[in-house]
Every structure is written in structure tokens, then in C-alpha cells.
Amino acid sequence: MPHFAPVRVRGGRRTLHRLVAHRRRALAAGLAVTAAALVAAGPHPGAGGQDTRRARGHPVADPVDERHGTRLVAAPVRIADAGTVRLLRPGDRVDVVATGEGGAGDASVVARGVRVTRVPEPDADPAAGGALVVVSVPRATAHRLVGAGTTERLAVTLC
């Protein structure tokens, strides 16, 4: 058998190197475009918006309508369980639930997916019962919260 030189493919290494280099460029360009889009769409601190911090937790199924036509008001709500209020932070989304006095009867959702705007320090007087939380809601929902707070015990669930 005669001696043959090894078979070599011309430009094989260069072609592979060129493909890898272009893939890196394409990936870098894609990441740069994605980063620019995220920065452009994100919240802008100091732009005069309400609360630019993001809410913790999962998105809600039907949040309170916050369109431009809806005027939101701050509504203080006394929650029966002070321990639950300690878990809340401004920016959280909660459902406010009303139960009958003493916990008897059916529970009903008074406000769904409302944003917590402030959690004041708890009262030093334990006789006050519960703890206060301030939520941002439309005016009609604020009226329902006040009415439910005078006749029923209120609780919150994190959304």
C-alpha cells in the first residue's frame, strides 16, 4: 500500500472560528438591545410617578383599576390581627377581607389587589386592638372599607 499524506480540509479551523466569533457578536448585540429595552420600559425614579418601587409577591388576578381616570385616595384600615400587619411593607398588594364580629359567618372581600402605601408604627395601647395600615384605593372602595371597618373585623391576605 502506498503512503498517503493525511487528508486535510482547507479552511476548516478558520470557518469554525469565524462562526463562533459571529455567534458571540450576535449574542452580545441581542443582550445589549434587551438591556436597552428593559431600561427604557422600567420605572424612572424622580419622574413624578406615585410609587416606583415594585410590589412583592405574585401579580393579582383582578387588581384595583388604576387608570388615569380613577382617582385614588389613601384609606386607613384597622386590621384585627396586628401580627399580620407586621408582615406588610409599602408597595405590597393585598386583599382586604371582612368577617362577621367574632369571626362567625362568611368572609367577603371588600377590596381586591389594593396597594399598601404606609404601615404606621403599632399603637402602644394594646386595648386599641389590631393595627393600622394605609392602602391606596378608589374613593368608592374607601367608603366600603370604612363601612366594613365599623361593623366587621378586617383581615388582609398578601397577593
Side-chain angles (χ1 to χ4, degrees):
M1 175 148 242
H3 182 354
F4 290 104
V7 178
R8 297 186 192 253
V9 178
R10 290 184 180 243
R13 291 181 79 189
R14 291 177 82 183
T15 304
L16 180 63
H17 180 65
R18 192 177 319 133
L19 287 174
V20 170
H22 287 298
R23 187 180 318 159
R24 287 181 187 160
R25 286 183 195 146
L27 181 63
L31 287 174
V33 168
T34 303
L38 288 174
V39 167
H44 298 287
Q50 286 184 352
D51 189 10
T52 57
R53 290 175 288 185
R54 298 189 67 161
R56 295 184 304 157
H58 299 289
V60 232
D62 7 87
V64 169
D65 205 11
E66 292 185 12
R67 291 185 296 235
H68 295 292
T70 305
R71 299 260 336 217
L72 298 177
V73 297
V77 178
R78 183 158 299 278
I79 304 301
D81 184 16
T84 304
V85 174
R86 285 189 298 230
L87 299 174
L88 300 177
R89 302 284 178 264
D92 286 348
R93 293 268 185 185
V94 295
D95 291 345
V96 181
V97 181
T99 61
E101 197 60 41
D106 292 331
S108 62
V109 178
V110 180
R112 187 179 308 273
V114 297
R115 184 179 303 273
V116 174
T117 56
R118 189 160 174 246
V119 183
E121 291 296 320
D123 293 334
D125 181 22
L132 195 64
V133 63
V134 180
V135 295
S136 179
V137 294
R139 188 175 301 274
T141 306
H143 294 166
R144 285 196 313 260
L145 283 169
V146 169
T150 58
T151 60
E152 300 174 297
R153 293 174 48 115
L154 298 178
V156 292
T157 58
L158 274 168
C159 297

